[in-house]
Amino acid sequence: MQLQLQTWQEVEAYLQTSRGIILPIGSTEQHGPNGLIGTDAICAEVIARGVGEAAAALVAPTITVGMAQHHLGFAGSMTLRPSTLIAVLKDMVESLVRHGFERFYFLNGHGGNIATLTAAFSEIYATRSLGAASNLPSIKCRLKNWWQNQEVHDLAKGLYGNAEGSHATPSEVSVTQFAYPEAIKSALLEPPVAPWGDFADAADYRRKFPDGRIGSNPGLATPEAGRRLYDAAVAAITKDYRSWVHA
Amino acid sequence: MQLQLQTWQEVEAYLQTSRGIILPIGSTEQHGPNGLIGTDAICAEVIARGVGEAAAALVAPTITVGMAQHHLGFAGSMTLRPSTLIAVLKDMVESLVRHGFERFYFLNGHGGNIATLTAAFSEIYATRSLGAASNLPSIKCRLKNWWQNQEVHDLAKGLYGNAEGSHATPSEVSVTQFAYPEAIKSALLEPPVAPWGDFADAADYRRKFPDGRIGSNPGLATPEAGRRLYDAAVAAITKDYRSWVHA
Amino acid sequence: MQLQLQTWQEVEAYLQTSRGIILPIGSTEQHGPNGLIGTDAICAEVIARGVGEAAAALVAPTITVGMAQHHLGFAGSMTLRPSTLIAVLKDMVESLVRHGFERFYFLNGHGGNIATLTAAFSEIYATRSLGAASNLPSIKCRLKNWWQNQEVHDLAKGLYGNAEGSHATPSEVSVTQFAYPEAIKSALLEPPVAPWGDFADAADYRRKFPDGRIGSNPGLATPEAGRRLYDAAVAAITKDYRSWVHA
Amino acid sequence: MQLQLQTWQEVEAYLQTSRGIILPIGSTEQHGPNGLIGTDAICAEVIARGVGEAAAALVAPTITVGMAQHHLGFAGSMTLRPSTLIAVLKDMVESLVRHGFERFYFLNGHGGNIATLTAAFSEIYATRSLGAASNLPSIKCRLKNWWQNQEVHDLAKGLYGNAEGSHATPSEVSVTQFAYPEAIKSALLEPPVAPWGDFADAADYRRKFPDGRIGSNPGLATPEAGRRLYDAAVAAITKDYRSWVHA
Amino acid sequence: MQLQLQTWQEVEAYLQTSRGIILPIGSTEQHGPNGLIGTDAICAEVIARGVGEAAAALVAPTITVGMAQHHLGFAGSMTLRPSTLIAVLKDMVESLVRHGFERFYFLNGHGGNIATLTAAFSEIYATRSLGAASNLPSIKCRLKNWWQNQEVHDLAKGLYGNAEGSHATPSEVSVTQFAYPEAIKSALLEPPVAPWGDFADAADYRRKFPDGRIGSNPGLATPEAGRRLYDAAVAAITKDYRSWVHA
Amino acid sequence: MQLQLQTWQEVEAYLQTSRGIILPIGSTEQHGPNGLIGTDAICAEVIARGVGEAAAALVAPTITVGMAQHHLGFAGSMTLRPSTLIAVLKDMVESLVRHGFERFYFLNGHGGNIATLTAAFSEIYATRSLGAASNLPSIKCRLKNWWQNQEVHDLAKGLYGNAEGSHATPSEVSVTQFAYPEAIKSALLEPPVAPWGDFADAADYRRKFPDGRIGSNPGLATPEAGRRLYDAAVAAITKDYRSWVHA
C-alpha cells in the first residue's frame, strides 16, 4: 500500500484502522564497481513495499538521498548534510502527525543514516519534551535497518561469510539484482575482497578504499540470493513492525 | 539513464560527454477524490525518465516531497517548509557540483514548488555571487514544469477545455493512469467541475475546496490521454533540455 | 498613512476599522548607467504611500534590501540571501499579527523578490498548516508588483514599446525621476537598447549585460512619464487593495 | 550621498576615494503617546544623511525594523528576532565587501539594537577568525549611537535634565518633530515624567510602563530643540566618522 | 593537562609534539534517586583528565550539557537540541583546527549523545567533502564511550551482573562517588532493580521509568568500585587514544 | 549547591523554595603569557559557587566556551559563533523553564560574551512577545559580570590602578591563582603594561596585541589578591542575587 498510489479518502479510511506508517530511507552513493548508486534506496524501497503488503501498512515515498558525505569522492554520490536531513525528517513527521499518524517506522538501507536518523528522532521529540504543558499527541519513531535481524544475518553469513564486508556488500547488491535484473553490472574486482578500515571525510575514504568497497566481494552477488534475502527481510521485518505498531 | 541504476564509473564516463543532469521534483499531496497522492511526483518522474532516454541524459532520483503546506488539511499530504526544501536543493546541487556537473535541469510536477525552487536557485547562486574572488565553477539551474510547453498545453486544452482546472487536473491524473493503470480510482465528483479561487494556509484551502480539486474535472481522465500527454511532454522537454544543456 | 508617522494609540484606533496593511518591498541594486541603485525601493515606496493615502491604509516601512544576488557584480548592489529574507518577512508578519493585523499586502518593486516573497508566504502559512489544533488567527498575504496591472502595462507599452525591456526599464527610471527630480542622471547608453537573455549568478549576469540593463532603453525616461505611471499605478492598485482587503 | 540615489558607476568612482559607508539602523516601535513609531529609524536616518553630506560619505538605506521584542505589547511595534537581524547584517556587509567596502559605520537610533548589532559584528568577524588561511579582506564595523557623544549629551541634559528618561525621550521626539513637522502629535502625558525600571518580555514591559515611556517627559519636545540636537549630533558624529574611517 | 590551565604559549609548544586533543562530553540529567544530575559529565571529565595525565594529552573543557530531551520529565535535567549540539561541536572543532589540531577524541559519558555526536562529525566532514578543491587540513574525530572497553565491561559485569542496567547504573554512580565522596546520596530504591524498556519523549520516559532508572540497581554503588572502574577506564582508554592519535 | 551534585528529587524540593538559578558563563581563550586559557570560566565558576553557597542558590554547570572569535589568533582559544551561543542559551533556559525555574542569573566572566548573552535574552523573550495569547510562564534573565560592582572595582583599582587594563587583567589572573595555586605561571611581560586599543577579527587583534594582553600588567597578580577579590565579588553578587531573585 504505497501512499503515493492512494487517494486522500483512502488514507482517511486507513487511519481508522492504524496509526502507523513505514518510511523507507536509503542513499544515493557509489557502491563499488558493480553496485548501483541507488543500492541503499532500492533495498529499502522494495523491502518496505513487501512489508507494506504483508502487514497491510501504508508506505511513504522513499527518501532517496541520505547522509553520505564520505562517498563524495566517487562520481554520482549525493548527500544531505546531517542538519538538512534532520529538518527534512522533522517536516515529514510533523506533516503526518497533522493527519493522525503516531507510529513512524523508518526502514533504513544505509548505515550512514543511522546517527542522523536517531538524532532527528530526538530533535522531533525535543519539541514535545521542552514544552511542559504541551497537548501534542504522543508519537514514536523506530529505526530498522533491513539487514539487522537474525534471518537476514544468518542467510548472508551462510552465503558470503567474511566476503560480506560492510559497504557494497554482496547481500545488498544481490537484492538490487533481484529488484532490477535489467541493471546487473559486471566489473573486475581487484582484489576480490576489499580492504577494511575506518574513514573520516570523502578524501580519506577514497584514499583507503580506492574502488569504493569496504571488506566485501560483491562479485558473489546473484539475483537468486537477492530473492532469498528479500524474502527473509520481509518476513522478519513484517513481524517486527506488527508487534511494534500495536504495542 | 537513471542515476540510481548506474555505477560510479559509469557516471564518471558520462561526465566526459555531458555536464547536465535532470532532477525530477514532485509532491506528496491530495489530488482530489480520484487523483493519487503521488500524482505530481509520478508525472515528474515518468516524464523525466522519458526525457532521459530520449536525450541520453542522467536522471537523478525524484524529490517526492515538495512544498505543499496548503494541502495539509487532507490526509496523506506531506510538506517540506520552504526553508527546508531550499537546504535540500542546495545540498543536492553542491554534491553534484563536486563531481563536475554544471547544468541542473529541474523537471517539476507541482506548481507549489515553483517559488521555493526559484528561491533555492538564488540561494545557491548567492554563495558564488557574494564571494568576489571565488573560483567555484559556473553553474546553471533551470526549472521546467512538465505542462508548460505548447504541445502539452494545446493537447490538454483540446481534451478538456475549461475542465482542466488548476489542481487535480484531468491531464495529470491521466498521466498517472497511464503510468500506473493498476491504481486507477473511480469516485463521485460533485460538482463535476470544482470551484476556482485562491487560498492561503491549509484551513483556508480546505474551506474553499472541500474535496481538494481546483477548477478541474479529473473524472475525464483516461490512460489513453495520459499516454498522449506523456508523449507530447517528453518530446517538447527533450528539445528544451538539449538546446539548454549545450548553450 | 505611514506606520512610522503614527503613535501606537493611532494604530490601535486604525485596527478598529481595518485589519490590513501595505508593506512596500524593493531592492538595492544597480539599474544601469542612468538608473538609481534605489530604483525598486523608491518605486515601491512612493506608490505604496500613494495607495495608502487613497485607500486610508497603513503603510509599513519599506524593505529596501531584497533578493538581488545576480546584481552583485555591480558596485553598490546589496542582497539578502533568500533564506534571510524569508526570516525577515516571517518576523515582520508575526509582529503585526500580534496586534491584530490579518491582511498583508506586499507592494513589490523588484522581480527578483517574487519567488522569495512567495516562498516566505508559504513558510508563514506552514506554521499554521502543520499545527492541526492551532488557534492562530487566519491570515492572508498578497504579492502585488506595481507594474502588473492593465493600466501601467498599457501606458508603458504606449510610451516605450519594446524599449521597455525587463531591467532598468524606462518606466521604473521615470518613476524615480518623478520622485527624486534632484537625482536625475544622464549617461551614454550604448547600445541604446540593451541585450536580452537569462542569467544565473552575478558573474554570469555581468558577462551578459555589461552595463547592467536588460532589454531596455532607460534613456527614454522622463519625470513626466513617471508622474503618469505613478498615477496609473496608484489608481489600479488602490482598487485592487480595497477589493482584496475587504474580501 | 545616499546610496539609493547613486548609479553603480558613481559608487565605483566613490570606492576610488573611500572604503567606508554609513549604515543607519533604527526600529519600528511605540514611543509613547506623542512619539512616532518610526522615531528611532527617523533619527538614525536624518542624522546619517547629515553626516553623509558633511563627510562626503555614502549612506546605505536605513534598516528600519530592528530588535524590539519588548515593545510588542503596543500596537504597530515590529521586531526582528536577534538571530534574524544577525543574518540580515551579515548579508548586507558581505554584499558590500564584494565591491571593496571595508569600513562599516552603523549609526544607531535604538538602544535595543546594541547587543544584537555587536553580536552580529562578531558573527561576521568569526567567518574570518575561524579560517586560518583566509584571504578575505580585513574589515571593521563600528556601532555609534547618535546620542552618545558629549555634545548631544550636554545639550539634552541642559534642555531636559532628569525628564530625558530612557525611552520616548524628549530629545528623540524633538528630532522627529524637526524632521517631520507635519507629524507632530499632542497627547496627555500622565504622569508627566514616566516611571523607571527594567523589563523582560513584552508583557512585562507593558505591565510596568503602561503608556510606553520610560522615565521621560516627551511633552517637552520641540522642533527647535530637534534642530539643535540634530546639528550637535551631525557635528560630533562627522568628526568621529572621519577619524575612524581613515585610521 | 587541562587546556583551561595552560597558557597559549604552552599550547603552542604542545602542538609541536601532538595534533591530538581529548574532549570530554557528558550530560546534565537525572540519574535516579541516588545518582547525581551531573553523573555523565563527571565520569567523562575525571576519566578524561586521567587519560590526559597518562597520555600527556591536552584535555578540553567538558561539554556538560548534552542531548537529554528524554530526561526532561525530571527536575534539573537540561538538554541541547541535536541541531544545537551539532553547531556547538562544529564551532569547537573549527576553533581548534585553526591552531593546528587535527585529531579530536571525544570521551563520552552519555549514551544519549552518541547519535548526535556521530552526526556532528559528518556535519564537520561534509564541509570538506562537498568542496572538491578544498585545501582544508585533513582531520579525524573519534567517539569513545568510557564504558565501552573490555576492562570496564568485565569489571562492571563482575561487580553488578544484571543489576548494572542501562541508565543510572551502579558503575557510573560508583565513579561519581569516587570522584565526589562528599556528595554520596542514599535513597530508597523500590524496586531495587528498575524496569527495562524503550522510550520516546520525556513524557513517555517518565511514564515507564517513574524514578528515572532503567534496569539498574545503583544502590550497589560504592566509591571503592568507582576507583576500580576509574582505573580500568583510564588504562584502557589511554591505550586506545595513544594508538589512534599516532595512526 | 551545584546542580551537578544534586539528585532530581533534591531539585524538586529546591523548587518549592526558589525559582532562581545561577548560570556561570566564561570563555576558553588566551589570557596573555601568564594567564590561563580558562581564566574567564574559572572566575565565573568559583565565584558562582561562592554565591550559591552564600545564597543557598542552585548553580548550573559552567558554560566554558563562549564568544571569543577575536582570540583565535592565539593557540588554544575556542569560540562559539554568536548564533550558536544564542541557540545554546535558549535550549538551556527552556529546559529549566520546563521544571518551573523562572529567574536566570548569568554570572559572566568574559566581556566578549555580553552582547551575545543580551541578544540571547531577547531571542528567548521574543518567543513570548510574538505570541499574544501565550500561556508561557513569565521569566527573567539577568547578566552580571563578576567585576561590575563597587567592591571589586574599588579593590582592583586600589591594587593595580591603571595596570588593571581590560584583558588578561591582574585581577582575573589573581582569582585564578587563588583558585588553582598549582597552576600559577610566570612569564616575562614585555612591556610590563600592554598597549590599549580596539580590535575587529582575530588577525586584527593579534596584530595589535602581540602577546594577547590589553592594557594590563598581569605580572602583578597574586593568589592573595585573588582571595580578596573573590571575597568581595561573592559578597557583592550575593546581595545582588538575593534582592533580584525575590523581586
Side-chain angles (χ1 to χ4, degrees):
Chain A
M1 298 174 58
Q2 297 181 43
L3 175 63
Q4 297 293 69
L5 300 185
Q6 313 299 313
T7 66
W8 68 264
Q9 289 102 329
E10 289 170 338
V11 177
E12 210 163 70
Y14 173 86
L15 282 161
Q16 300 304 315
T17 69
S18 175
R19 298 278 154 170
I21 188 167
I22 299 169
L23 301 103
I25 176 167
S27 186
T28 296
E29 62 182 48
Q30 66 83 16
H31 273 77
N34 76 328
L36 305 181
I37 283 176
T39 297
D40 295 344
I42 290 166
C43 291
E45 183 166 282
V46 299
I47 293 167
R49 289 181 183 174
V51 175
E53 290 312 310
L58 266 182
V59 180
T62 305
I63 303 167
T64 45
V65 180
M67 207 307 293
Q69 62 82 23
H70 43 303
H71 292 294
L72 285 173
F74 297 91
S77 303
M78 298 172 77
T79 194
L80 299 186
R81 293 171 204 265
S83 53
T84 303
L85 184 50
I86 288 172
V88 167
L89 295 166
K90 188 158 183 284
D91 284 0
M92 288 178 69
V93 168
E94 289 186 1
S95 295
L96 294 167
V97 166
R98 170 69 150 89
H99 308 306
F101 289 95
E102 294 177 356
R103 295 290 175 274
F104 304 91
Y105 191 91
F106 286 87
L107 186 38
N108 181 40
H110 172 46
N113 288 336
I114 295 173
T116 301
L117 263 168
T118 306
F121 294 172
S122 294
E123 187 89 12
I124 293 166
Y125 294 145
T127 303
R128 288 162 164 76
S129 299
L130 284 163
S134 168
N135 55 4
L136 290 169
S138 178
I139 64 168
K140 284 196 191 179
C141 300
R142 182 171 176 84
L143 164 57
K144 190 75 188 176
N145 301 311
W146 70 261
W147 62 87
Q148 278 192 328
N149 52 75
Q150 202 59 49
E151 291 85 340
V152 168
H153 177 265
D154 291 352
L155 185 51
K157 194 174 186 99
L159 287 163
Y160 306 119
N162 287 341
E164 172 72 1
S166 73
H167 183 68
T169 66
S171 288
E172 59 187 351
V173 172
S174 292
V175 172
T176 64
Q177 290 183 348
F178 162 65
Y180 290 87
E182 71 275 22
I184 297 177
K185 315 280 167 131
S186 67
L188 182 71
L189 298 168
E190 184 50 44
V193 177
W196 282 94
D198 61 0
F199 52 84
D201 64 11
D204 187 51
Y205 187 105
R206 175 121 199 190
R207 206 154 39 224
K208 288 181 181 155
F209 312 106
D211 72 0
R213 297 173 296 142
I214 305 182
S216 66
N217 180 0
L220 305 174
T222 66
E224 294 71 29
R227 187 188 47 74
R228 293 174 63 193
L229 288 157
Y230 167 84
D231 286 342
V234 168
I237 295 169
T238 298
K239 213 168 80 179
D240 183 73
Y241 174 77
R242 275 193 169 131
S243 69
W244 177 76
V245 83
H246 297 130
Chain B
M1 297 175 59
Q2 297 181 45
L3 176 62
Q4 298 292 68
L5 300 185
Q6 312 300 312
T7 66
W8 68 264
Q9 289 101 330
E10 289 170 338
V11 177
E12 213 164 68
Y14 173 87
L15 282 160
Q16 301 304 316
T17 69
S18 174
R19 299 279 154 169
I21 188 166
I22 299 169
L23 300 103
I25 175 166
S27 186
T28 296
E29 64 183 46
Q30 67 83 18
H31 273 77
N34 76 328
L36 305 183
I37 282 175
T39 297
D40 295 345
I42 290 166
C43 291
E45 183 167 284
V46 298
I47 293 167
R49 290 183 183 174
V51 175
E53 290 312 310
L58 265 184
V59 180
T62 306
I63 303 169
T64 46
V65 181
M67 207 307 292
Q69 62 82 23
H70 44 303
H71 292 294
L72 285 174
F74 297 91
S77 302
M78 300 172 77
T79 194
L80 300 186
R81 293 170 203 266
S83 54
T84 303
L85 185 49
I86 288 172
V88 166
L89 295 166
K90 189 159 182 282
D91 285 359
M92 287 178 68
V93 168
E94 290 186 0
S95 295
L96 293 167
V97 166
R98 170 69 151 90
H99 307 306
F101 289 96
E102 293 176 358
R103 294 290 176 274
F104 304 91
Y105 191 91
F106 286 87
L107 186 37
N108 180 39
H110 172 47
N113 288 338
I114 295 173
T116 301
L117 264 167
T118 307
F121 295 172
S122 294
E123 187 89 13
I124 294 166
Y125 295 144
T127 303
R128 288 164 164 74
S129 298
L130 283 164
S134 169
N135 56 3
L136 290 168
S138 177
I139 64 169
K140 284 196 191 179
C141 300
R142 182 172 177 82
L143 164 57
K144 190 74 187 177
N145 301 311
W146 70 261
W147 63 86
Q148 279 192 326
N149 53 76
Q150 201 60 47
E151 292 85 338
V152 168
H153 178 263
D154 290 352
L155 184 52
K157 193 172 187 101
L159 287 164
Y160 306 119
N162 288 338
E164 172 72 358
S166 73
H167 184 67
T169 66
S171 288
E172 62 188 347
V173 173
S174 292
V175 172
T176 65
Q177 290 183 350
F178 161 64
Y180 290 87
E182 72 277 22
I184 297 177
K185 314 283 168 130
S186 68
L188 183 70
L189 297 169
E190 184 49 44
V193 176
W196 281 93
D198 61 359
F199 52 84
D201 64 10
D204 187 51
Y205 187 106
R206 175 122 199 189
R207 211 157 33 228
K208 288 180 180 155
F209 312 106
D211 72 0
R213 297 174 295 143
I214 304 182
S216 66
N217 180 0
L220 304 174
T222 65
E224 292 72 28
R227 185 186 47 72
R228 293 175 62 194
L229 288 157
Y230 167 84
D231 286 342
V234 168
I237 296 169
T238 298
K239 214 169 79 179
D240 183 73
Y241 174 78
R242 277 197 169 127
S243 69
W244 177 76
V245 83
H246 297 132
Chain C
M1 297 172 58
Q2 297 180 45
L3 175 62
Q4 298 293 68
L5 300 185
Q6 313 299 312
T7 66
W8 67 264
Q9 289 104 328
E10 289 170 336
V11 177
E12 210 162 69
Y14 173 87
L15 282 161
Q16 300 304 314
T17 69
S18 174
R19 300 278 154 169
I21 187 166
I22 299 169
L23 301 105
I25 175 166
S27 187
T28 296
E29 63 183 47
Q30 67 82 16
H31 273 76
N34 77 328
L36 305 182
I37 282 175
T39 296
D40 295 342
I42 290 166
C43 290
E45 183 167 281
V46 298
I47 293 168
R49 289 180 183 176
V51 175
E53 290 313 309
L58 266 182
V59 180
T62 305
I63 303 168
T64 45
V65 181
M67 207 307 294
Q69 62 83 22
H70 44 304
H71 292 293
L72 286 172
F74 297 90
S77 302
M78 298 172 77
T79 194
L80 299 186
R81 293 171 204 264
S83 54
T84 302
L85 184 50
I86 288 172
V88 167
L89 295 166
K90 189 159 183 283
D91 284 0
M92 288 179 68
V93 167
E94 290 185 0
S95 295
L96 294 167
V97 166
R98 170 69 151 90
H99 308 306
F101 289 96
E102 294 176 357
R103 294 290 176 273
F104 304 91
Y105 192 91
F106 286 87
L107 187 37
N108 181 40
H110 172 47
N113 288 337
I114 295 173
T116 300
L117 263 168
T118 306
F121 295 173
S122 293
E123 186 90 10
I124 293 165
Y125 294 145
T127 303
R128 288 163 164 75
S129 299
L130 284 164
S134 169
N135 56 3
L136 290 168
S138 178
I139 64 168
K140 285 195 192 180
C141 300
R142 183 171 175 82
L143 164 57
K144 191 76 187 174
N145 301 311
W146 71 261
W147 63 87
Q148 279 192 327
N149 53 75
Q150 201 60 49
E151 292 85 340
V152 168
H153 177 265
D154 290 352
L155 185 51
K157 193 170 186 99
L159 286 163
Y160 306 119
N162 287 339
E164 172 73 357
S166 73
H167 184 69
T169 67
S171 288
E172 60 187 349
V173 172
S174 292
V175 173
T176 65
Q177 290 183 348
F178 162 65
Y180 290 87
E182 72 276 21
I184 297 176
K185 315 282 167 131
S186 68
L188 182 72
L189 297 168
E190 185 49 43
V193 177
W196 281 94
D198 61 0
F199 51 85
D201 64 10
D204 187 51
Y205 188 106
R206 176 122 199 190
R207 208 155 38 225
K208 289 180 180 154
F209 312 106
D211 73 359
R213 297 173 295 142
I214 305 182
S216 66
N217 180 359
L220 305 174
T222 67
E224 294 71 27
R227 186 187 48 71
R228 293 174 63 195
L229 287 157
Y230 167 84
D231 286 341
V234 168
I237 295 170
T238 298
K239 212 169 79 178
D240 182 74
Y241 175 77
R242 275 193 169 132
S243 70
W244 177 76
V245 83
H246 297 131
Chain D
M1 297 174 59
Q2 297 180 45
L3 175 63
Q4 298 292 70
L5 300 184
Q6 312 299 313
T7 66
W8 69 264
Q9 288 101 329
E10 289 170 338
V11 177
E12 212 163 68
Y14 173 86
L15 282 161
Q16 301 303 317
T17 69
S18 174
R19 298 279 156 170
I21 187 166
I22 299 170
L23 300 104
I25 176 166
S27 187
T28 296
E29 63 182 47
Q30 67 83 18
H31 273 78
N34 76 328
L36 305 182
I37 284 175
T39 298
D40 295 343
I42 291 166
C43 291
E45 183 167 283
V46 298
I47 293 167
R49 289 181 183 175
V51 175
E53 290 313 310
L58 264 183
V59 180
T62 305
I63 303 168
T64 46
V65 180
M67 208 306 293
Q69 61 82 23
H70 45 303
H71 292 294
L72 285 173
F74 297 90
S77 302
M78 298 172 77
T79 194
L80 298 186
R81 295 171 203 266
S83 53
T84 303
L85 185 49
I86 288 172
V88 167
L89 295 165
K90 188 159 183 283
D91 284 359
M92 288 178 68
V93 168
E94 290 186 1
S95 295
L96 293 166
V97 166
R98 170 71 152 87
H99 307 305
F101 289 96
E102 293 177 357
R103 294 290 177 272
F104 304 92
Y105 191 91
F106 286 87
L107 185 39
N108 180 39
H110 172 47
N113 287 338
I114 295 173
T116 300
L117 263 168
T118 308
F121 295 172
S122 294
E123 187 90 11
I124 293 165
Y125 295 145
T127 303
R128 287 164 163 73
S129 298
L130 283 164
S134 169
N135 56 1
L136 290 168
S138 179
I139 64 169
K140 284 195 190 180
C141 301
R142 182 171 176 83
L143 164 57
K144 190 75 187 177
N145 301 311
W146 71 261
W147 63 87
Q148 279 192 327
N149 53 75
Q150 201 60 49
E151 291 84 338
V152 168
H153 177 265
D154 291 351
L155 184 52
K157 192 171 188 102
L159 286 162
Y160 305 119
N162 288 338
E164 172 73 358
S166 73
H167 183 69
T169 68
S171 288
E172 60 188 347
V173 172
S174 292
V175 173
T176 65
Q177 290 183 349
F178 161 66
Y180 290 87
E182 71 277 22
I184 296 177
K185 315 282 167 131
S186 69
L188 183 70
L189 297 168
E190 185 48 44
V193 176
W196 281 93
D198 61 0
F199 52 84
D201 64 11
D204 186 52
Y205 188 106
R206 176 121 199 191
R207 212 157 32 228
K208 289 180 179 154
F209 312 106
D211 73 358
R213 297 173 296 142
I214 305 182
S216 66
N217 181 1
L220 305 175
T222 66
E224 293 72 27
R227 187 188 45 73
R228 293 175 60 195
L229 288 156
Y230 166 85
D231 287 341
V234 168
I237 295 170
T238 298
K239 213 170 80 180
D240 183 74
Y241 174 78
R242 276 196 168 129
S243 69
W244 177 76
V245 82
H246 297 132
Chain E
M1 297 172 59
Q2 297 180 47
L3 175 63
Q4 297 293 69
L5 301 184
Q6 312 300 312
T7 65
W8 68 264
Q9 289 102 329
E10 290 170 337
V11 177
E12 212 165 67
Y14 173 87
L15 281 161
Q16 301 304 316
T17 69
S18 174
R19 299 278 156 170
I21 188 167
I22 299 169
L23 300 104
I25 175 166
S27 186
T28 296
E29 63 182 47
Q30 67 82 19
H31 274 78
N34 77 328
L36 304 182
I37 283 175
T39 297
D40 294 344
I42 290 165
C43 291
E45 182 166 284
V46 299
I47 293 167
R49 290 182 183 174
V51 175
E53 290 312 310
L58 265 183
V59 180
T62 305
I63 303 168
T64 46
V65 180
M67 208 306 294
Q69 62 82 21
H70 44 303
H71 292 293
L72 285 173
F74 297 91
S77 301
M78 299 171 77
T79 194
L80 300 186
R81 294 171 203 265
S83 54
T84 303
L85 184 50
I86 288 171
V88 166
L89 295 166
K90 189 159 182 283
D91 284 0
M92 288 178 67
V93 168
E94 290 186 1
S95 295
L96 293 167
V97 167
R98 170 70 150 90
H99 308 306
F101 290 95
E102 293 177 357
R103 294 289 176 273
F104 304 91
Y105 191 91
F106 286 88
L107 187 38
N108 180 40
H110 172 47
N113 287 338
I114 295 173
T116 301
L117 264 168
T118 307
F121 295 172
S122 293
E123 187 89 12
I124 294 165
Y125 294 144
T127 304
R128 288 164 164 74
S129 299
L130 284 164
S134 168
N135 56 2
L136 291 168
S138 177
I139 64 168
K140 283 195 191 180
C141 300
R142 182 172 176 83
L143 163 57
K144 190 73 188 178
N145 301 311
W146 70 261
W147 62 86
Q148 277 192 327
N149 52 74
Q150 201 60 49
E151 293 83 337
V152 168
H153 177 265
D154 290 352
L155 185 51
K157 192 169 187 105
L159 285 164
Y160 305 120
N162 287 338
E164 172 73 358
S166 73
H167 184 69
T169 67
S171 288
E172 61 187 349
V173 173
S174 292
V175 173
T176 65
Q177 289 183 347
F178 161 65
Y180 289 87
E182 71 277 22
I184 297 177
K185 314 283 167 129
S186 70
L188 183 69
L189 297 169
E190 184 49 44
V193 176
W196 281 93
D198 61 1
F199 52 84
D201 64 10
D204 186 52
Y205 188 107
R206 175 120 199 192
R207 212 158 32 229
K208 289 183 180 151
F209 312 107
D211 72 359
R213 297 173 295 142
I214 303 181
S216 67
N217 181 0
L220 304 175
T222 65
E224 292 72 27
R227 188 188 45 74
R228 292 174 61 194
L229 288 157
Y230 167 84
D231 287 341
V234 168
I237 295 169
T238 298
K239 213 169 80 181
D240 182 74
Y241 174 77
R242 277 194 167 131
S243 69
W244 176 76
V245 83
H246 297 132
Chain F
M1 297 173 61
Q2 297 180 43
L3 175 62
Q4 298 293 66
L5 300 185
Q6 313 299 312
T7 66
W8 68 264
Q9 288 102 330
E10 290 170 337
V11 177
E12 210 163 69
Y14 173 86
L15 281 161
Q16 300 303 315
T17 69
S18 174
R19 298 278 155 169
I21 188 166
I22 299 168
L23 299 104
I25 176 167
S27 187
T28 296
E29 63 182 48
Q30 67 82 16
H31 273 77
N34 77 328
L36 305 182
I37 283 175
T39 297
D40 295 344
I42 290 166
C43 290
E45 183 166 284
V46 299
I47 293 168
R49 289 181 183 174
V51 175
E53 289 313 309
L58 265 183
V59 180
T62 305
I63 303 167
T64 45
V65 180
M67 209 306 293
Q69 62 82 22
H70 43 304
H71 292 293
L72 285 174
F74 297 91
S77 302
M78 299 172 77
T79 194
L80 299 186
R81 294 171 203 265
S83 54
T84 302
L85 185 49
I86 287 172
V88 167
L89 295 166
K90 188 158 183 283
D91 284 0
M92 288 179 68
V93 168
E94 289 186 1
S95 294
L96 294 167
V97 167
R98 170 69 151 91
H99 308 306
F101 289 95
E102 294 176 357
R103 294 290 176 273
F104 303 91
Y105 192 92
F106 286 86
L107 187 37
N108 180 38
H110 172 47
N113 288 336
I114 295 173
T116 301
L117 263 168
T118 306
F121 294 173
S122 293
E123 186 90 11
I124 293 166
Y125 294 145
T127 303
R128 287 164 164 74
S129 299
L130 284 164
S134 169
N135 56 2
L136 291 169
S138 177
I139 64 169
K140 284 196 191 179
C141 300
R142 184 171 176 82
L143 164 56
K144 191 74 187 176
N145 300 312
W146 72 261
W147 63 87
Q148 278 192 326
N149 54 75
Q150 202 59 48
E151 292 84 338
V152 168
H153 178 265
D154 291 352
L155 185 52
K157 194 172 185 99
L159 286 163
Y160 307 120
N162 287 339
E164 173 71 358
S166 73
H167 184 69
T169 67
S171 288
E172 61 187 349
V173 173
S174 291
V175 173
T176 64
Q177 290 183 349
F178 162 64
Y180 289 86
E182 71 276 23
I184 297 176
K185 314 282 166 130
S186 67
L188 182 69
L189 297 168
E190 184 49 44
V193 177
W196 281 93
D198 61 0
F199 51 85
D201 65 10
D204 187 52
Y205 188 106
R206 176 121 198 190
R207 209 155 36 226
K208 288 181 181 154
F209 313 107
D211 72 0
R213 298 173 296 142
I214 305 182
S216 65
N217 181 359
L220 304 175
T222 66
E224 294 72 27
R227 187 186 47 73
R228 293 174 63 193
L229 287 157
Y230 167 84
D231 287 341
V234 167
I237 294 170
T238 298
K239 213 168 80 179
D240 182 74
Y241 174 78
R242 276 194 168 131
S243 70
W244 177 77
V245 83
H246 296 132

